[in-house]
């Protein structure tokens, strides 16, 4: 359950298709994130170290236009979304 002031992102195992990474976090962590654009639509990709019950790659269910995507990316990096 998200903490007050946080917003939960809904993660799925399906992408929009091949896209271009426009921003990313360090892959030296257990979980790394990438902001990906495909045909003008943005999605966040989460990559995790393989562990039971967590898919190694998952995607946000939501798809956004640029401004919305940048706001969600900012929230994720600030710890206000997960």
């Amino acid at each position: 359950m998200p903490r007050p002031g946080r917003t939960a992102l809904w993660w799925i195992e399906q992408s929009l298709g091949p896209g271009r990474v426009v921003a990313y976090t360090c892959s030296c962590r257990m979980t790394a994130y990438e902001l990906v654009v495909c045909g003008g639509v943005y999605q966040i990709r989460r990559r995790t170290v393989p562990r039971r019950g967590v898919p190694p790659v998952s995607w946000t269910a939501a798809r956004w236009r640029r401004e919305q995507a940048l706001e969600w990316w900012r929230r994720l990096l600030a710890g206000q979304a997960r």
Side-chain angles (χ1 to χ4, degrees), residues 8 11 13 30 34-35 38-39 43 45 47-48 55 60-61 63 70 79:
W11 298 98
E13 294 184 44
M30 295 257 324
E34 298 170 333
L35 181 60
C38 181
Q43 193 174 26
R45 175 170 45 207
R47 296 182 180 273
T48 60
T60 50
R63 279 97 163 139
L70 292 175

Side-chain angles (χ1 to χ4, degrees), residues 37-65:
V37 62
C38 181
V41 179
Y42 291 74
Q43 193 174 26
I44 297 174
R45 175 170 45 207
R46 176 177 65 186
R47 296 182 180 273
T48 60
V49 172
R51 57 187 193 256
R52 189 174 5 150
V54 178
V57 176
S58 53
W59 300 82
T60 50
R63 279 97 163 139
W64 306 286
R65 295 284 177 209

Side-chain angles (χ1 to χ4, degrees), residues 1-3 5-11 60 72 75 80-82:
M1 176 179 259
R3 293 183 205 159
R6 289 186 172 216
T7 303
L9 293 168
W10 182 21
W11 298 98
T60 50
W72 278 102
R75 288 180 190 177
Q80 297 172 339
R82 61 183 179 153

